[in-house]
Amino acid sequence: MSDERPVRLHCFAHAGAGVSAFYGWGPRLGPGVETVPHLLPGRERRRSEPRLTRPADLLADQLPHFTGEGGGAPYILYGHSLGALVAYSVTRALHEAGLPGPALLVVGACPPPDELSALADQCRAGDEELLRLLGEANALPARARPGDFWHQAVLPVLRDDLVLAHELRTAARGASPAAPLAVPVLAVAGADDPLAQPRAMAQWRAWTTGPFAVRTVPGDHFFLRGHDLPRLVGRAARVVRRLAPQPAGVR
């Protein structure tokens, strides 16, 4: 596999985050996999750009990254929480446009669009209620205090990301002009994730007519920071390489 082009793993992070969660993935993925983190506007080096809350704006920002992916080795999308909705929406948009899609869509820590979502469904709640929900989900930094850097710099990004998640879920439930997706889907749950339990993650089965698998790894909602998820995705990437030596798209 060392003489072949690596499988490109496009990654989308959770709400309020940039791409730093994927920086340590390289060695954990194993050989033959190249990580390509995607940074949304309004954070890190794109801090000066307006944050996105509408699906059309998100797709306009992200789809150009994938127009050239059909001519090489198969590629994979991984999305975590909000990122799972982004990855699914990109996959669906490529399919509807008749463009080559990923050989595998991996979704983590996110119920499918037709399941309840404790945070996205409360995206427009007041700060007090939103902070309560974040605390219950272990998504609130232990040292965060009203008026501090987290509340001033991160909470506004997080809130807009939850609005985007809500809008993506709504759009996904709408009718598609194309045939149903046939892309293989791997759904990954954290064993102790209160926001996307294994039962909910298994419901992604209804969102593709292609092969489907659900796996549970140790950890809470932020299990992407551990070692088990990248190892799992790395193994899946090598299976993709063996089974699809030529570029594979969404049929």
Short mmCIF file of all heavy atoms in Angstrom, two decimals, residues 18-66:
data_model
loop_
_atom_site.label_atom_id
_atom_site.label_comp_id
_atom_site.label_asym_id
_atom_site.label_seq_id
_atom_site.Cartn_x
_atom_site.Cartn_y
_atom_site.Cartn_z
N GLY A 18 -12.57 23.96 16.14
CA GLY A 18 -11.84 24.16 14.90
C GLY A 18 -11.45 22.81 14.34
O GLY A 18 -12.28 21.94 14.12
N VAL A 19 -10.15 22.62 14.13
CA VAL A 19 -9.68 21.35 13.59
C VAL A 19 -8.61 20.70 14.47
O VAL A 19 -8.07 19.66 14.13
CB VAL A 19 -9.13 21.51 12.16
CG1 VAL A 19 -10.25 21.90 11.20
CG2 VAL A 19 -8.00 22.54 12.11
N SER A 20 -8.32 21.30 15.63
CA SER A 20 -7.23 20.80 16.46
C SER A 20 -7.49 19.38 16.97
O SER A 20 -6.53 18.65 17.26
CB SER A 20 -6.98 21.74 17.64
OG SER A 20 -8.14 21.86 18.45
N ALA A 21 -8.74 18.98 17.07
CA ALA A 21 -9.05 17.63 17.57
C ALA A 21 -8.48 16.55 16.67
O ALA A 21 -8.26 15.42 17.12
CB ALA A 21 -10.56 17.45 17.70
N PHE A 22 -8.20 16.88 15.42
CA PHE A 22 -7.69 15.88 14.47
C PHE A 22 -6.18 15.92 14.30
O PHE A 22 -5.63 15.11 13.54
CB PHE A 22 -8.37 16.09 13.10
CG PHE A 22 -9.86 16.00 13.14
CD1 PHE A 22 -10.64 17.14 12.94
CD2 PHE A 22 -10.50 14.80 13.40
CE1 PHE A 22 -12.02 17.07 12.98
CE2 PHE A 22 -11.89 14.71 13.45
CZ PHE A 22 -12.64 15.86 13.24
N TYR A 23 -5.49 16.82 15.00
CA TYR A 23 -4.05 16.98 14.78
C TYR A 23 -3.26 15.73 15.15
O TYR A 23 -2.25 15.43 14.54
CB TYR A 23 -3.52 18.17 15.57
CG TYR A 23 -3.89 19.52 14.99
CD1 TYR A 23 -3.72 20.69 15.73
CD2 TYR A 23 -4.43 19.63 13.72
CE1 TYR A 23 -4.06 21.93 15.20
CE2 TYR A 23 -4.78 20.86 13.19
CZ TYR A 23 -4.58 22.01 13.93
OH TYR A 23 -4.93 23.24 13.42
N GLY A 24 -3.71 14.99 16.16
CA GLY A 24 -2.96 13.81 16.58
C GLY A 24 -3.40 12.52 15.93
O GLY A 24 -2.95 11.44 16.32
N TRP A 25 -4.24 12.60 14.92
CA TRP A 25 -4.80 11.39 14.33
C TRP A 25 -3.82 10.62 13.45
O TRP A 25 -3.97 9.41 13.29
CB TRP A 25 -6.05 11.76 13.51
CG TRP A 25 -7.29 11.77 14.33
CD1 TRP A 25 -7.42 12.18 15.62
CD2 TRP A 25 -8.59 11.35 13.92
NE1 TRP A 25 -8.72 12.06 16.04
CE2 TRP A 25 -9.46 11.55 15.02
CE3 TRP A 25 -9.11 10.85 12.73
CZ2 TRP A 25 -10.82 11.24 14.96
CZ3 TRP A 25 -10.46 10.55 12.66
CH2 TRP A 25 -11.31 10.74 13.77
N GLY A 26 -2.86 11.30 12.85
CA GLY A 26 -1.99 10.66 11.87
C GLY A 26 -1.42 9.31 12.30
O GLY A 26 -1.68 8.28 11.67
N PRO A 27 -0.65 9.26 13.40
CA PRO A 27 -0.07 7.99 13.84
C PRO A 27 -1.12 6.96 14.26
O PRO A 27 -0.89 5.76 14.13
CB PRO A 27 0.81 8.40 15.03
CG PRO A 27 1.05 9.87 14.86
CD PRO A 27 -0.20 10.39 14.23
N ARG A 28 -2.26 7.41 14.76
CA ARG A 28 -3.29 6.50 15.24
C ARG A 28 -4.06 5.85 14.09
O ARG A 28 -4.59 4.74 14.24
CB ARG A 28 -4.27 7.25 16.15
CG ARG A 28 -3.61 7.90 17.37
CD ARG A 28 -4.59 8.79 18.11
NE ARG A 28 -3.91 9.60 19.12
CZ ARG A 28 -4.50 10.56 19.82
NH1 ARG A 28 -5.79 10.82 19.61
NH2 ARG A 28 -3.83 11.26 20.70
N LEU A 29 -4.13 6.53 12.96
CA LEU A 29 -4.86 5.99 11.82
C LEU A 29 -4.13 4.80 11.20
O LEU A 29 -4.75 3.92 10.61
CB LEU A 29 -5.04 7.07 10.75
CG LEU A 29 -6.06 8.16 11.06
CD1 LEU A 29 -5.89 9.32 10.08
CD2 LEU A 29 -7.48 7.63 10.99
N GLY A 30 -2.81 4.79 11.31
CA GLY A 30 -2.04 3.74 10.67
C GLY A 30 -1.66 4.13 9.25
O GLY A 30 -1.97 5.22 8.77
N PRO A 31 -1.01 3.23 8.52
CA PRO A 31 -0.47 3.56 7.20
C PRO A 31 -1.55 3.72 6.13
O PRO A 31 -2.63 3.14 6.21
CB PRO A 31 0.42 2.35 6.88
CG PRO A 31 -0.20 1.22 7.65
CD PRO A 31 -0.70 1.84 8.92
N GLY A 32 -1.22 4.54 5.13
CA GLY A 32 -2.06 4.66 3.95
C GLY A 32 -3.26 5.56 4.07
O GLY A 32 -4.15 5.52 3.23
N VAL A 33 -3.30 6.41 5.12
CA VAL A 33 -4.45 7.30 5.31
C VAL A 33 -3.93 8.72 5.54
O VAL A 33 -3.06 8.94 6.38
CB VAL A 33 -5.32 6.87 6.51
CG1 VAL A 33 -6.60 7.70 6.55
CG2 VAL A 33 -5.63 5.39 6.46
N GLU A 34 -4.46 9.67 4.82
CA GLU A 34 -4.08 11.07 4.93
C GLU A 34 -5.25 11.88 5.47
O GLU A 34 -6.34 11.88 4.89
CB GLU A 34 -3.67 11.62 3.57
CG GLU A 34 -3.35 13.11 3.58
CD GLU A 34 -3.14 13.66 2.17
OE1 GLU A 34 -3.21 12.87 1.20
OE2 GLU A 34 -2.92 14.87 2.05
N THR A 35 -5.04 12.56 6.60
CA THR A 35 -6.11 13.36 7.21
C THR A 35 -6.21 14.73 6.56
O THR A 35 -5.20 15.41 6.38
CB THR A 35 -5.85 13.53 8.72
OG1 THR A 35 -5.62 12.26 9.32
CG2 THR A 35 -7.04 14.20 9.39
N VAL A 36 -7.43 15.12 6.22
CA VAL A 36 -7.69 16.44 5.63
C VAL A 36 -8.76 17.12 6.48
O VAL A 36 -9.96 16.99 6.21
CB VAL A 36 -8.16 16.33 4.16
CG1 VAL A 36 -8.29 17.72 3.54
CG2 VAL A 36 -7.21 15.46 3.36
N PRO A 37 -8.38 17.85 7.55
CA PRO A 37 -9.37 18.53 8.38
C PRO A 37 -9.95 19.74 7.65
O PRO A 37 -9.24 20.45 6.94
CB PRO A 37 -8.57 18.97 9.61
CG PRO A 37 -7.28 18.23 9.54
CD PRO A 37 -7.02 18.00 8.09
N HIS A 38 -11.24 19.97 7.82
CA HIS A 38 -11.92 21.09 7.18
C HIS A 38 -12.34 22.10 8.25
O HIS A 38 -13.09 21.76 9.17
CB HIS A 38 -13.15 20.61 6.41
CG HIS A 38 -12.80 19.90 5.15
ND1 HIS A 38 -12.95 20.47 3.90
CD2 HIS A 38 -12.29 18.66 4.93
CE1 HIS A 38 -12.55 19.61 2.97
NE2 HIS A 38 -12.15 18.50 3.58
N LEU A 39 -11.86 23.32 8.10
CA LEU A 39 -12.15 24.38 9.06
C LEU A 39 -13.29 25.24 8.53
O LEU A 39 -13.22 25.78 7.43
CB LEU A 39 -10.90 25.25 9.26
CG LEU A 39 -11.01 26.38 10.28
CD1 LEU A 39 -11.21 25.80 11.69
CD2 LEU A 39 -9.77 27.26 10.24
N LEU A 40 -14.34 25.36 9.32
CA LEU A 40 -15.46 26.21 8.94
C LEU A 40 -15.14 27.66 9.27
O LEU A 40 -14.30 27.95 10.13
CB LEU A 40 -16.73 25.77 9.67
CG LEU A 40 -17.22 24.34 9.40
CD1 LEU A 40 -18.56 24.12 10.11
CD2 LEU A 40 -17.35 24.07 7.91
N PRO A 41 -15.80 28.61 8.60
CA PRO A 41 -15.56 30.03 8.89
C PRO A 41 -15.89 30.39 10.33
O PRO A 41 -16.68 29.73 10.99
CB PRO A 41 -16.51 30.75 7.91
CG PRO A 41 -16.76 29.77 6.82
CD PRO A 41 -16.75 28.41 7.48
N GLY A 42 -15.24 31.47 10.80
CA GLY A 42 -15.55 32.02 12.12
C GLY A 42 -14.70 31.50 13.25
O GLY A 42 -15.01 31.77 14.42
N ARG A 43 -13.61 30.77 12.95
CA ARG A 43 -12.75 30.20 13.99
C ARG A 43 -11.33 30.04 13.45
O ARG A 43 -11.11 29.98 12.25
CB ARG A 43 -13.30 28.86 14.48
CG ARG A 43 -13.31 27.76 13.42
CD ARG A 43 -14.46 26.82 13.61
NE ARG A 43 -15.67 27.43 13.10
CZ ARG A 43 -16.89 27.07 13.47
NH1 ARG A 43 -17.07 26.11 14.35
NH2 ARG A 43 -17.95 27.67 12.96
N GLU A 44 -10.38 30.03 14.39
CA GLU A 44 -8.97 29.84 14.07
C GLU A 44 -8.56 30.76 12.92
O GLU A 44 -8.84 31.95 12.96
CB GLU A 44 -8.69 28.36 13.79
CG GLU A 44 -8.91 27.49 15.03
CD GLU A 44 -8.63 26.03 14.80
OE1 GLU A 44 -8.11 25.65 13.75
OE2 GLU A 44 -8.95 25.23 15.72
N ARG A 45 -7.91 30.26 11.91
CA ARG A 45 -7.39 31.15 10.86
C ARG A 45 -8.50 31.78 10.02
O ARG A 45 -8.25 32.73 9.26
CB ARG A 45 -6.42 30.39 9.95
CG ARG A 45 -7.07 29.32 9.10
CD ARG A 45 -6.06 28.65 8.17
NE ARG A 45 -6.68 27.66 7.31
CZ ARG A 45 -6.90 26.39 7.65
NH1 ARG A 45 -6.54 25.97 8.86
NH2 ARG A 45 -7.48 25.56 6.81
N ARG A 46 -9.72 31.29 10.16
CA ARG A 46 -10.87 31.86 9.44
C ARG A 46 -11.76 32.68 10.39
O ARG A 46 -12.93 32.90 10.13
CB ARG A 46 -11.69 30.76 8.77
CG ARG A 46 -10.91 29.89 7.80
CD ARG A 46 -11.80 28.92 7.05
NE ARG A 46 -12.67 29.63 6.10
CZ ARG A 46 -13.58 29.02 5.33
NH1 ARG A 46 -13.73 27.70 5.41
NH2 ARG A 46 -14.32 29.72 4.49
N ARG A 47 -11.16 33.15 11.46
CA ARG A 47 -11.92 33.84 12.50
C ARG A 47 -12.62 35.09 11.97
O ARG A 47 -13.70 35.46 12.44
CB ARG A 47 -11.00 34.20 13.66
CG ARG A 47 -11.72 34.78 14.89
CD ARG A 47 -10.75 35.02 16.03
NE ARG A 47 -10.16 33.78 16.50
CZ ARG A 47 -8.89 33.44 16.32
NH1 ARG A 47 -8.08 34.24 15.66
NH2 ARG A 47 -8.43 32.30 16.80
N SER A 48 -12.00 35.77 11.02
CA SER A 48 -12.57 37.03 10.53
C SER A 48 -13.74 36.82 9.56
O SER A 48 -14.43 37.78 9.21
CB SER A 48 -11.48 37.85 9.83
OG SER A 48 -10.97 37.16 8.71
N GLU A 49 -13.98 35.60 9.13
CA GLU A 49 -15.06 35.32 8.18
C GLU A 49 -16.38 35.10 8.92
O GLU A 49 -16.39 34.54 10.03
CB GLU A 49 -14.73 34.08 7.35
CG GLU A 49 -13.44 34.21 6.54
CD GLU A 49 -13.11 32.94 5.79
OE1 GLU A 49 -14.05 32.36 5.18
OE2 GLU A 49 -11.95 32.51 5.83
N PRO A 50 -17.48 35.51 8.34
CA PRO A 50 -18.79 35.32 9.00
C PRO A 50 -19.08 33.84 9.22
O PRO A 50 -18.83 33.00 8.35
CB PRO A 50 -19.78 35.94 8.01
CG PRO A 50 -18.96 36.85 7.15
CD PRO A 50 -17.61 36.23 7.06
N ARG A 51 -19.64 33.53 10.38
CA ARG A 51 -20.03 32.15 10.66
C ARG A 51 -21.25 31.77 9.83
O ARG A 51 -22.06 32.62 9.48
CB ARG A 51 -20.31 31.98 12.16
CG ARG A 51 -19.06 32.19 13.01
CD ARG A 51 -19.31 31.81 14.47
NE ARG A 51 -20.23 32.70 15.15
CZ ARG A 51 -19.86 33.79 15.80
NH1 ARG A 51 -18.60 34.16 15.83
NH2 ARG A 51 -20.77 34.54 16.42
N LEU A 52 -21.36 30.48 9.53
CA LEU A 52 -22.41 29.99 8.65
C LEU A 52 -23.53 29.36 9.48
O LEU A 52 -23.27 28.55 10.37
CB LEU A 52 -21.85 28.95 7.69
CG LEU A 52 -20.63 29.38 6.86
CD1 LEU A 52 -20.14 28.23 6.00
CD2 LEU A 52 -20.97 30.59 6.01
N THR A 53 -24.76 29.71 9.16
CA THR A 53 -25.91 29.11 9.84
C THR A 53 -26.92 28.57 8.84
O THR A 53 -27.94 28.01 9.26
CB THR A 53 -26.60 30.12 10.77
OG1 THR A 53 -27.00 31.26 10.00
CG2 THR A 53 -25.66 30.57 11.89
N ARG A 54 -26.69 28.72 7.54
CA ARG A 54 -27.62 28.24 6.52
C ARG A 54 -26.98 27.12 5.70
O ARG A 54 -25.81 27.23 5.31
CB ARG A 54 -28.04 29.38 5.59
CG ARG A 54 -28.74 30.54 6.29
CD ARG A 54 -29.39 31.46 5.27
NE ARG A 54 -28.44 31.87 4.23
CZ ARG A 54 -28.79 32.47 3.10
NH1 ARG A 54 -30.08 32.74 2.87
NH2 ARG A 54 -27.88 32.82 2.22
N PRO A 55 -27.70 26.05 5.44
CA PRO A 55 -27.15 24.94 4.67
C PRO A 55 -26.58 25.36 3.31
O PRO A 55 -25.53 24.87 2.89
CB PRO A 55 -28.33 23.99 4.51
CG PRO A 55 -29.17 24.25 5.73
CD PRO A 55 -29.04 25.72 5.97
N ALA A 56 -27.27 26.26 2.60
CA ALA A 56 -26.80 26.68 1.28
C ALA A 56 -25.43 27.34 1.37
O ALA A 56 -24.55 27.11 0.52
CB ALA A 56 -27.81 27.63 0.63
N ASP A 57 -25.21 28.15 2.40
CA ASP A 57 -23.92 28.82 2.56
C ASP A 57 -22.83 27.80 2.93
O ASP A 57 -21.69 27.91 2.47
CB ASP A 57 -24.01 29.89 3.64
CG ASP A 57 -24.94 31.03 3.24
OD1 ASP A 57 -25.13 31.24 2.02
OD2 ASP A 57 -25.47 31.71 4.13
N LEU A 58 -23.18 26.83 3.76
CA LEU A 58 -22.22 25.79 4.12
C LEU A 58 -21.78 25.03 2.87
O LEU A 58 -20.57 24.80 2.65
CB LEU A 58 -22.84 24.83 5.12
CG LEU A 58 -22.00 23.57 5.37
CD1 LEU A 58 -20.82 23.88 6.26
CD2 LEU A 58 -22.84 22.45 5.93
N LEU A 59 -22.72 24.62 2.05
CA LEU A 59 -22.38 23.83 0.86
C LEU A 59 -21.58 24.66 -0.14
O LEU A 59 -20.66 24.15 -0.78
CB LEU A 59 -23.65 23.29 0.22
CG LEU A 59 -24.39 22.24 1.07
CD1 LEU A 59 -25.71 21.86 0.42
CD2 LEU A 59 -23.52 21.00 1.28
N ALA A 60 -21.91 25.94 -0.26
CA ALA A 60 -21.13 26.80 -1.15
C ALA A 60 -19.69 26.90 -0.67
O ALA A 60 -18.75 27.00 -1.48
CB ALA A 60 -21.76 28.19 -1.21
N ASP A 61 -19.48 26.85 0.63
CA ASP A 61 -18.14 26.93 1.21
C ASP A 61 -17.38 25.62 1.06
O ASP A 61 -16.15 25.63 0.84
CB ASP A 61 -18.25 27.32 2.69
CG ASP A 61 -16.90 27.47 3.37
OD1 ASP A 61 -16.23 28.49 3.12
OD2 ASP A 61 -16.50 26.56 4.13
N GLN A 62 -18.05 24.48 1.17
CA GLN A 62 -17.37 23.20 1.25
C GLN A 62 -17.31 22.40 -0.04
O GLN A 62 -16.34 21.69 -0.29
CB GLN A 62 -18.03 22.34 2.35
CG GLN A 62 -17.77 22.84 3.75
CD GLN A 62 -16.29 22.85 4.09
OE1 GLN A 62 -15.58 21.88 3.81
NE2 GLN A 62 -15.82 23.94 4.67
N LEU A 63 -18.31 22.47 -0.87
CA LEU A 63 -18.34 21.61 -2.06
C LEU A 63 -17.14 21.81 -2.99
O LEU A 63 -16.67 20.83 -3.58
CB LEU A 63 -19.64 21.81 -2.83
CG LEU A 63 -20.88 21.14 -2.25
CD1 LEU A 63 -22.08 21.38 -3.15
CD2 LEU A 63 -20.65 19.64 -2.06
N PRO A 64 -16.61 23.04 -3.16
CA PRO A 64 -15.45 23.18 -4.04
C PRO A 64 -14.25 22.31 -3.63
O PRO A 64 -13.42 21.97 -4.49
CB PRO A 64 -15.11 24.67 -3.93
CG PRO A 64 -16.42 25.33 -3.63
CD PRO A 64 -17.11 24.36 -2.71
N HIS A 65 -14.17 21.93 -2.36
CA HIS A 65 -13.05 21.08 -1.92
C HIS A 65 -13.14 19.67 -2.50
O HIS A 65 -12.16 18.92 -2.49
CB HIS A 65 -13.03 20.98 -0.39
CG HIS A 65 -12.78 22.29 0.30
ND1 HIS A 65 -11.59 22.97 0.21
CD2 HIS A 65 -13.60 23.04 1.09
CE1 HIS A 65 -11.66 24.09 0.92
NE2 HIS A 65 -12.87 24.15 1.45
N PHE A 66 -14.31 19.28 -3.00
CA PHE A 66 -14.53 17.89 -3.40
C PHE A 66 -14.71 17.71 -4.91
O PHE A 66 -14.85 16.58 -5.37
CB PHE A 66 -15.76 17.33 -2.66
CG PHE A 66 -15.58 17.29 -1.18
CD1 PHE A 66 -15.98 18.36 -0.39
CD2 PHE A 66 -14.95 16.21 -0.57
CE1 PHE A 66 -15.79 18.34 0.98
CE2 PHE A 66 -14.76 16.18 0.80
CZ PHE A 66 -15.17 17.25 1.58
#
